[in-house]
Amino acid sequence: MTTKIAPWIFTASCPSIIGTVDVVTRYMAESGHYVDEIHSFDDRESGRFFIRVEFLPKKEGFSASVFDQEFSARAKDFNMEWALTEPNHRPRVAIMVSKYDHCLNDLLYRFRTGQLNIDVTVIISNHPDLEELAKWHRIPYYHLPITAETKLEQEAQVKSLIEQYDTELVVLARYMQVLSPDMCEYLDGRAINIHHSLLPGFKGARPYHQAWEKGVKMVGATAHYVNNDLDEGPIISQGIQVVNHAHYVEDLVAKGQDIERVTLFNAVKCHIEKRVFLNGKRTVVFGG
Amino acid sequence: MTTKIAPWIFTASCPSIIGTVDVVTRYMAESGHYVDEIHSFDDRESGRFFIRVEFLPKKEGFSASVFDQEFSARAKDFNMEWALTEPNHRPRVAIMVSKYDHCLNDLLYRFRTGQLNIDVTVIISNHPDLEELAKWHRIPYYHLPITAETKLEQEAQVKSLIEQYDTELVVLARYMQVLSPDMCEYLDGRAINIHHSLLPGFKGARPYHQAWEKGVKMVGATAHYVNNDLDEGPIISQGIQVVNHAHYVEDLVAKGQDIERVTLFNAVKCHIEKRVFLNGKRTVVFGG
Amino acid sequence: MTTKIAPWIFTASCPSIIGTVDVVTRYMAESGHYVDEIHSFDDRESGRFFIRVEFLPKKEGFSASVFDQEFSARAKDFNMEWALTEPNHRPRVAIMVSKYDHCLNDLLYRFRTGQLNIDVTVIISNHPDLEELAKWHRIPYYHLPITAETKLEQEAQVKSLIEQYDTELVVLARYMQVLSPDMCEYLDGRAINIHHSLLPGFKGARPYHQAWEKGVKMVGATAHYVNNDLDEGPIISQGIQVVNHAHYVEDLVAKGQDIERVTLFNAVKCHIEKRVFLNGKRTVVFGG
Amino acid sequence: MTTKIAPWIFTASCPSIIGTVDVVTRYMAESGHYVDEIHSFDDRESGRFFIRVEFLPKKEGFSASVFDQEFSARAKDFNMEWALTEPNHRPRVAIMVSKYDHCLNDLLYRFRTGQLNIDVTVIISNHPDLEELAKWHRIPYYHLPITAETKLEQEAQVKSLIEQYDTELVVLARYMQVLSPDMCEYLDGRAINIHHSLLPGFKGARPYHQAWEKGVKMVGATAHYVNNDLDEGPIISQGIQVVNHAHYVEDLVAKGQDIERVTLFNAVKCHIEKRVFLNGKRTVVFGG
């Protein structure tokens, strides 16, 4: 069997009107690009259109800037937001953690084995505990402690690191601090958080304790974009794990970890493959 | 392969102290009963002990009242609540419904095919819609309309039917009325409700609408005992179904139905097989 | 929230060459049709292209035969097999069963409640057992007994019923007879069978017994198109159910039924919604 | 909430006769041990009885050898095989791998974080690739290359390492070599293998390729004890992952890894917690 050739990815969204698919696919065909896969969706509720195209450009002389110029001319009546992503684009990712390392360990494993096509450029933590893990992966680790008094100051340092490392995506891999509204806004749309419950159930602190108190028969995890509302950002992916009466809180914590890391991985993978679109408070996820 | 012989079931709970298992198993052995399966659980949080035993009595002359008498003498220091259930005990069940019939249809299917060892003796609804389905199964159907003004009166009628039909278990199979506190208390511990969300998420009305608004990637269902708190009774079983951005509310409703009916069935089955124990606001479910 | 308007469905497949998507979407746009959803897939292994489009035709004067004529002219260089399905197309379905009724009961429930947009026109069985269920749904029931000697004769009767009832799809809802090669060929591509294992595991007779012998921790079900190879037709959908050591064969049988019926339902739903494409011995299923 | 105190574990199996549970629980009670949890199972097919008890010994002076002596006297008529495992017993584990590191990485993560209460004492591979990972965990790594000619010799070296490191359990964490019959026998009952399919489907080489060819909609993994039959040892745990037509073999490989490692982890955890019993070609797994 052959190996899949990495395609270019075109993504766009705009208000739903006639011709939205056509303007894309016609340009592809007339330019000699080979369309490998299309997903599109018109949301009747929000009245928005979303499209993701994987394509292989014509053999020679493909230029993204020519694509830009030519497609802009055609798309100008559609009020379209669109983007082109080159094959094997490898976003620069900053990971923020506290003490739990299961998500970090998982992301680093997939990073070093190539399962996640990202470049983890920096790890930032409010605790020193996970430095050795970072070191072994040869990734700079910044320990930036935080208190109620120093929150804004610490966040300023975080921002400065995010910029210094030219970061495209921030992953909150069990970073156990509530971000300030300013920080949330700063990260809007480019930070993914993992919360250890099936949101909107069990928002806030100690969700496994809450879940245990309620005697639930399933615990879950939710990966979502960061926004201003605590644990209310648009959901990208969710996972669940069956539990029973014999599981104490510490068992829920342990069992939940496998779901958390896979759920976070799925969200990051979908995000970097440009499968996720914001749609108001919801998301569209193609082929996730 | 042989067919499983239906066993007697012994269930008990009491405060956790030493000798709780022993007092049960020793009596079984000394009486010549064959213990086929034991589940036990000591809950360190509530400090309660739970046990369920399936046993085949010695060949001749087994008498439940002798068991009662003899075991009571042994168990008297344990403050034990216990019960004996005869093989193939077939509880008399009243089903309450409104207009959605997917849960009712499923329960009746399993009733008529013997998958659920119950006797559905009466169906009570606040709407006339499902009478034909009841008729085909030759089960009396009572249409008791309800308004805000007539709620207590209607509930009195319901109670009187529950008693008239000598009911052991009431199943609320998508009965879309909030019960009065009095009715809740009346049904305490002997009524199972299905709620169409993964509780405690999306309590109350129109949970699929709520779920859609939040853009969740999974919808769920929860079967629980009825108690005073709306949608807060002890959870017996839960189920989930993966959904995505392309599913509108009506799709969630449709997809959720398969989970609702299987989740309700599981809860009813566990209940009638005496696998479920109340443990404060939580449940213990053995081998469910 | 609004209700989804039923769209026309366009489906096509052809060898993968440049312009396949474009020829479809361009025609849609130039004809003033509104494309609501597209799925496409190029299979690098088989070298085939598949596309499914949901569209709302321009307001007035849409004619399928004009579409045919116009699109044929454009598609003629693509060696494309394509089809147009009108909104709410309601295929005529024949169901074949033996004695187990769980799949039949489920399909009939979804038929009568409109969950499955089909017209169940006839039920054919080699046993008389399920006639009452058919009657209650007011569907003709034919009892056609079969023996090794009468197989071909019985199959001729089945064929004649399939034709008499102008059948578009045949569903083998636990029809426990091996079809003759001739019958398989007759049904090729328009009959869906449910097999009670996760194929290709446990092909043939008594798969739950086989599964029990092997001590598996999961049992499954597979819905597939009928073809010449016993239990080897292209797979449309699969489902699984967790089991454990305490489940005897009869428990696997009972637990498997829920998976069988949901798996068969999913396959039938995908089929009638034109989501399933044959791709050699495999299938493409869009948005299933 | 309190933390669970680690209990002693008592496990036993014997032919099913009356008094099997009683002999265990009576001894516990008469000796003043507190029984925290019991699971028992009588298999009607094999005629064997299995029991697992977690207990907290009476406060002072508990001695395993006294338990041995006293219980042996009581159990002598039951032909019982039994074992006592001390709290937090930490088995010495040897891991064998080839080039794929996802299972190894997962086991080492759980080992170093205490999720798996094992002591990984040695890693043995037929390839040099994973040495760095072993080094970082400060675990000796032996690279023992193998060819058809040197298989027996290499296996002799492996055996000698297993003995040198006083190994209780061997985990084949994607060790891609067929073991000789002699080696299989040597490892009988104390080696767990992960196979990347839902056995008995897709035995042998390249199961994901086989699965892709068949167009399955789910891939799976199976953890089982090693025995003489290739991929036919008693199954401990299984897991599955949904896939679709857009997944090529390399995608199945990637998606399967998450299932493989969780499935292997579950099996190892159940094994070291003494939850798994051999029952002919099947297993009994309590509370897994």
Side-chain angles (χ1 to χ4, degrees):
Chain A
M1 278 158 232
T2 60
T3 298
K4 197 174 170 183
I5 299 161
W8 283 75
I9 300 168
F10 169 85
T11 49
S13 78
C14 64
S16 294
I17 58 168
I18 198 153
T20 49
V21 172
D22 177 70
V23 72
V24 175
T25 56
R26 184 183 304 216
Y27 175 67
M28 295 290 178
E30 291 180 2
S31 308
H33 306 323
Y34 182 79
V35 171
D36 194 42
E37 193 183 88
I38 286 193
H39 289 93
S40 84
F41 178 64
D42 268 77
D43 186 342
R44 289 168 192 274
E45 301 297 332
S46 67
R48 278 195 81 74
F49 163 78
F50 305 88
I51 191 166
R52 180 184 185 277
V53 180
E54 295 191 0
F55 70 98
L56 305 175
K58 61 178 180 183
K59 290 277 154 56
E60 291 154 35
F62 177 72
S63 145
S65 66
V66 170
F67 186 111
D68 263 36
Q69 201 175 346
E70 291 178 355
F71 186 71
S72 292
R74 297 184 180 217
K76 67 180 187 303
D77 296 338
F78 289 89
N79 197 18
M80 197 177 265
E81 294 164 21
W82 57 277
L84 205 54
T85 305
E86 59 186 11
N88 293 321
H89 170 63
R90 195 172 151 85
R92 295 173 64 82
V93 173
I95 301 181
M96 298 180 70
V97 282
S98 293
K99 289 180 161 185
Y100 279 110
D101 67 350
H102 54 285
C103 287
L104 177 64
N105 186 64
D106 191 72
L107 292 172
L108 292 181
Y109 172 76
R110 299 185 199 263
F111 154 62
R112 79 171 190 259
T113 57
Q115 249 186 79
L116 259 187
N117 190 34
I118 57 175
D119 194 1
V120 180
T121 52
V122 60
I123 297 170
I124 303 167
S125 179
N126 55 329
H127 292 285
D129 307 51
L130 305 182
E131 181 157 15
E132 199 193 355
L133 185 59
K135 256 190 187 161
W136 188 64
H137 288 86
R138 299 180 190 84
I139 300 167
Y141 183 90
Y142 292 85
H143 171 212
L144 304 180
I146 190 168
T147 65
E149 291 72 38
T150 63
K151 184 188 277 277
L152 296 184
E153 190 184 335
Q154 191 253 21
E155 288 186 350
Q157 292 174 295
V158 172
K159 277 187 205 178
S160 138
L161 284 170
I162 287 172
E163 272 153 36
Q164 175 188 333
Y165 282 93
D166 197 13
T167 303
E168 185 177 325
L169 176 69
V170 176
V171 179
L172 305 180
R174 293 296 301 271
Y175 180 68
M176 311 302 283
Q177 290 292 320
V178 178
L179 303 177
S180 71
D182 183 57
M183 189 68 181
C184 287
E185 191 166 325
Y186 174 75
L187 292 175
D188 196 15
R190 55 186 182 127
I192 295 174
N193 182 47
I194 182 75
H195 183 77
H196 39 313
S197 81
L198 212 64
L199 289 173
F202 307 128
K203 282 194 285 189
R206 311 208 335 155
Y208 289 128
H209 288 75
Q210 295 181 54
W212 186 90
E213 294 283 350
K214 290 293 183 190
V216 299
K217 303 302 186 190
M218 289 179 172
V219 293
T222 303
H224 63 93
Y225 285 115
V226 170
N227 73 0
N228 276 337
D229 265 332
L230 176 65
D231 300 336
E232 286 274 10
I235 295 169
I236 305 168
S237 62
Q238 299 190 296
I240 66 102
Q241 167 72 43
V242 171
V243 297
N244 66 40
H245 61 266
H247 296 121
Y248 293 98
V249 172
E250 66 265 26
D251 301 313
L252 304 192
V253 169
K255 284 188 160 275
Q257 291 188 358
D258 283 322
I259 291 306
E260 290 169 40
R261 59 193 201 169
V262 170
T263 301
L264 179 57
F265 161 64
N266 285 340
V268 171
K269 186 161 197 288
C270 285
H271 176 89
I272 66 169
E273 292 178 358
K274 307 294 174 188
R275 298 182 180 281
V276 192
F277 298 73
L278 285 171
N279 182 18
K281 294 184 168 181
R282 311 170 75 246
T283 61
V284 170
V285 183
F286 286 134
Chain B
M1 278 160 234
T2 61
T3 298
K4 197 174 170 183
I5 298 161
W8 283 76
I9 300 169
F10 170 85
T11 49
S13 79
C14 65
S16 294
I17 57 169
I18 197 152
T20 49
V21 171
D22 177 70
V23 73
V24 175
T25 57
R26 183 183 303 217
Y27 175 68
M28 294 290 178
E30 292 180 0
S31 308
H33 306 323
Y34 182 79
V35 171
D36 194 42
E37 192 182 88
I38 285 193
H39 288 93
S40 84
F41 179 63
D42 268 77
D43 186 343
R44 291 169 190 272
E45 300 298 331
S46 68
R48 276 194 83 74
F49 163 78
F50 305 88
I51 191 166
R52 180 183 185 277
V53 180
E54 295 192 359
F55 70 98
L56 305 175
K58 62 178 180 184
K59 288 279 155 52
E60 289 153 37
F62 177 71
S63 144
S65 66
V66 170
F67 186 110
D68 263 35
Q69 202 175 345
E70 290 178 355
F71 186 71
S72 293
R74 296 182 179 218
K76 68 178 185 304
D77 296 338
F78 289 90
N79 198 17
M80 198 177 266
E81 293 165 23
W82 58 276
L84 206 54
T85 305
E86 60 186 9
N88 294 320
H89 170 64
R90 195 173 151 84
R92 295 173 64 83
V93 173
I95 301 180
M96 298 181 69
V97 282
S98 292
K99 289 180 161 184
Y100 280 109
D101 67 349
H102 54 285
C103 287
L104 177 63
N105 187 64
D106 190 72
L107 292 172
L108 292 181
Y109 172 75
R110 300 185 199 262
F111 154 62
R112 78 172 190 258
T113 58
Q115 250 186 77
L116 259 187
N117 191 32
I118 57 176
D119 194 2
V120 180
T121 53
V122 61
I123 297 170
I124 304 167
S125 180
N126 55 329
H127 292 285
D129 306 53
L130 307 182
E131 180 157 17
E132 200 193 353
L133 185 59
K135 255 189 188 162
W136 189 64
H137 288 86
R138 298 180 190 85
I139 299 166
Y141 183 90
Y142 292 84
H143 171 212
L144 304 179
I146 189 167
T147 64
E149 292 72 38
T150 64
K151 182 188 278 275
L152 295 185
E153 189 183 336
Q154 191 254 20
E155 288 186 352
Q157 292 174 295
V158 171
K159 277 188 206 177
S160 136
L161 284 171
I162 287 172
E163 272 153 36
Q164 174 187 333
Y165 283 94
D166 197 13
T167 303
E168 184 177 325
L169 175 70
V170 176
V171 179
L172 306 180
R174 294 296 301 271
Y175 180 68
M176 311 302 283
Q177 290 291 321
V178 178
L179 303 177
S180 70
D182 183 59
M183 190 68 181
C184 288
E185 191 166 327
Y186 175 75
L187 293 174
D188 196 15
R190 56 186 181 127
I192 295 173
N193 182 47
I194 181 75
H195 183 77
H196 38 315
S197 80
L198 212 63
L199 289 173
F202 307 129
K203 282 194 285 189
R206 310 208 335 156
Y208 290 128
H209 288 75
Q210 296 181 53
W212 185 89
E213 294 283 352
K214 292 292 182 188
V216 299
K217 303 302 185 189
M218 289 180 172
V219 294
T222 303
H224 63 93
Y225 285 115
V226 170
N227 73 1
N228 276 339
D229 265 331
L230 176 64
D231 299 336
E232 287 273 11
I235 295 170
I236 305 168
S237 62
Q238 299 190 297
I240 65 103
Q241 167 72 44
V242 171
V243 297
N244 65 41
H245 61 265
H247 296 120
Y248 293 98
V249 171
E250 66 266 26
D251 300 312
L252 303 192
V253 169
K255 284 187 161 277
Q257 291 189 359
D258 283 321
I259 291 306
E260 291 168 41
R261 58 193 201 169
V262 170
T263 302
L264 179 57
F265 160 64
N266 285 339
V268 171
K269 187 160 195 288
C270 285
H271 176 90
I272 67 169
E273 291 178 359
K274 307 295 175 188
R275 298 182 180 281
V276 192
F277 298 73
L278 284 170
N279 182 18
K281 293 182 167 183
R282 312 169 76 246
T283 62
V284 169
V285 184
F286 286 133
Chain C
M1 278 159 232
T2 60
T3 299
K4 196 174 171 183
I5 299 161
W8 283 75
I9 300 168
F10 170 86
T11 48
S13 78
C14 64
S16 295
I17 59 167
I18 197 151
T20 49
V21 172
D22 177 70
V23 72
V24 175
T25 57
R26 184 182 303 215
Y27 175 67
M28 294 288 177
E30 291 181 1
S31 309
H33 306 323
Y34 182 79
V35 170
D36 195 42
E37 194 182 86
I38 285 193
H39 288 93
S40 85
F41 179 63
D42 268 77
D43 186 342
R44 290 168 191 272
E45 301 298 331
S46 68
R48 277 193 83 74
F49 163 78
F50 305 88
I51 190 165
R52 180 184 184 277
V53 180
E54 295 192 359
F55 70 98
L56 305 175
K58 62 177 179 184
K59 289 279 155 51
E60 290 153 35
F62 177 71
S63 146
S65 66
V66 170
F67 185 110
D68 264 35
Q69 203 175 345
E70 291 178 355
F71 185 72
S72 292
R74 296 183 179 220
K76 67 178 186 304
D77 295 338
F78 289 88
N79 197 17
M80 197 177 267
E81 293 165 22
W82 57 275
L84 205 55
T85 305
E86 61 186 12
N88 294 319
H89 170 63
R90 194 173 152 84
R92 296 173 63 82
V93 173
I95 301 180
M96 298 180 70
V97 283
S98 293
K99 290 181 161 184
Y100 279 110
D101 66 350
H102 54 285
C103 287
L104 177 65
N105 186 65
D106 191 72
L107 292 172
L108 292 180
Y109 172 76
R110 300 186 199 262
F111 153 63
R112 78 171 191 258
T113 58
Q115 249 186 77
L116 257 188
N117 190 33
I118 57 175
D119 194 2
V120 180
T121 52
V122 60
I123 297 170
I124 303 167
S125 179
N126 55 327
H127 292 285
D129 307 51
L130 306 182
E131 180 157 17
E132 201 194 352
L133 184 59
K135 255 189 188 161
W136 189 64
H137 288 86
R138 298 179 191 87
I139 299 166
Y141 184 90
Y142 292 84
H143 172 211
L144 305 179
I146 189 168
T147 64
E149 291 73 39
T150 64
K151 182 188 278 273
L152 296 185
E153 190 183 336
Q154 191 253 22
E155 288 186 350
Q157 292 174 296
V158 171
K159 276 187 205 178
S160 139
L161 284 170
I162 286 171
E163 271 152 37
Q164 175 188 333
Y165 283 93
D166 198 13
T167 303
E168 185 177 325
L169 176 68
V170 177
V171 179
L172 305 180
R174 295 295 301 270
Y175 181 68
M176 311 302 283
Q177 289 291 321
V178 178
L179 304 177
S180 70
D182 183 58
M183 189 68 181
C184 288
E185 190 166 329
Y186 175 75
L187 293 174
D188 195 14
R190 55 183 182 130
I192 296 174
N193 182 48
I194 182 76
H195 183 77
H196 39 314
S197 81
L198 212 64
L199 289 173
F202 306 128
K203 282 195 283 189
R206 312 215 326 161
Y208 290 128
H209 287 74
Q210 296 181 53
W212 185 89
E213 294 283 352
K214 291 292 182 189
V216 298
K217 303 302 184 188
M218 291 179 170
V219 293
T222 303
H224 63 94
Y225 286 115
V226 170
N227 74 1
N228 276 339
D229 263 332
L230 176 65
D231 299 335
E232 287 273 12
I235 294 170
I236 305 168
S237 62
Q238 298 190 298
I240 66 101
Q241 167 73 44
V242 171
V243 296
N244 65 42
H245 61 266
H247 296 121
Y248 293 97
V249 171
E250 65 265 27
D251 301 311
L252 304 192
V253 169
K255 284 189 160 274
Q257 291 189 358
D258 283 321
I259 290 306
E260 290 168 40
R261 58 193 202 169
V262 170
T263 301
L264 180 58
F265 161 64
N266 285 339
V268 172
K269 187 161 196 289
C270 285
H271 176 90
I272 67 168
E273 292 178 358
K274 306 295 175 189
R275 299 181 180 280
V276 192
F277 298 73
L278 285 171
N279 182 18
K281 293 183 168 182
R282 312 169 75 247
T283 62
V284 169
V285 183
F286 286 134
Chain D
M1 275 159 235
T2 59
T3 299
K4 196 174 170 184
I5 299 160
W8 283 76
I9 300 168
F10 170 85
T11 48
S13 78
C14 65
S16 295
I17 59 169
I18 199 152
T20 50
V21 172
D22 176 70
V23 72
V24 175
T25 57
R26 183 182 303 216
Y27 175 67
M28 294 288 177
E30 291 180 2
S31 309
H33 306 323
Y34 182 79
V35 171
D36 194 42
E37 195 183 86
I38 285 193
H39 288 93
S40 84
F41 178 64
D42 269 76
D43 186 342
R44 290 168 191 273
E45 300 299 332
S46 67
R48 276 194 84 74
F49 164 78
F50 305 88
I51 191 166
R52 179 185 186 276
V53 180
E54 295 190 0
F55 69 98
L56 305 176
K58 60 177 179 182
K59 290 277 156 53
E60 291 153 36
F62 176 72
S63 143
S65 67
V66 170
F67 186 109
D68 263 35
Q69 201 174 346
E70 291 178 355
F71 186 71
S72 292
R74 296 183 180 220
K76 68 179 186 304
D77 296 338
F78 289 89
N79 197 16
M80 197 177 267
E81 293 165 22
W82 58 276
L84 205 54
T85 305
E86 59 187 9
N88 294 321
H89 170 63
R90 195 173 152 84
R92 296 174 64 83
V93 172
I95 301 180
M96 298 181 70
V97 282
S98 292
K99 290 181 161 184
Y100 280 109
D101 67 349
H102 54 285
C103 287
L104 177 63
N105 186 65
D106 191 72
L107 292 172
L108 292 181
Y109 172 76
R110 300 186 200 262
F111 154 62
R112 78 172 190 258
T113 58
Q115 249 186 78
L116 258 187
N117 190 33
I118 57 175
D119 193 3
V120 180
T121 52
V122 60
I123 298 170
I124 303 166
S125 180
N126 55 329
H127 292 285
D129 306 52
L130 305 182
E131 180 157 16
E132 200 193 353
L133 185 59
K135 255 190 188 161
W136 189 64
H137 288 85
R138 298 180 190 86
I139 299 166
Y141 184 89
Y142 292 84
H143 172 212
L144 304 179
I146 189 166
T147 63
E149 291 73 37
T150 64
K151 183 189 277 277
L152 295 185
E153 188 184 338
Q154 192 253 21
E155 288 186 350
Q157 292 174 295
V158 172
K159 276 188 207 177
S160 139
L161 284 171
I162 286 172
E163 273 153 35
Q164 174 187 335
Y165 282 94
D166 197 13
T167 303
E168 184 176 327
L169 176 68
V170 176
V171 179
L172 305 180
R174 296 295 302 271
Y175 180 68
M176 310 302 283
Q177 290 292 321
V178 177
L179 303 177
S180 70
D182 182 58
M183 189 68 180
C184 287
E185 190 167 326
Y186 175 75
L187 293 175
D188 195 14
R190 54 185 183 128
I192 296 174
N193 182 47
I194 182 74
H195 183 78
H196 38 314
S197 81
L198 212 64
L199 289 173
F202 307 129
K203 281 194 284 188
R206 312 212 328 158
Y208 289 128
H209 287 75
Q210 295 181 53
W212 185 89
E213 294 283 351
K214 290 293 183 188
V216 298
K217 303 302 185 188
M218 290 178 172
V219 293
T222 303
H224 63 93
Y225 286 114
V226 170
N227 73 0
N228 276 339
D229 263 332
L230 176 65
D231 300 336
E232 287 273 10
I235 294 170
I236 305 168
S237 61
Q238 298 190 298
I240 66 103
Q241 167 73 44
V242 171
V243 297
N244 65 42
H245 61 266
H247 296 121
Y248 293 97
V249 171
E250 66 266 27
D251 301 312
L252 303 192
V253 169
K255 284 188 161 275
Q257 292 188 357
D258 283 322
I259 292 306
E260 289 168 40
R261 58 192 201 169
V262 170
T263 302
L264 180 57
F265 160 65
N266 286 339
V268 171
K269 186 161 197 288
C270 286
H271 176 90
I272 66 169
E273 292 178 357
K274 308 294 176 187
R275 298 181 180 283
V276 192
F277 299 72
L278 284 171
N279 183 16
K281 294 183 167 183
R282 313 169 75 245
T283 61
V284 169
V285 183
F286 286 132

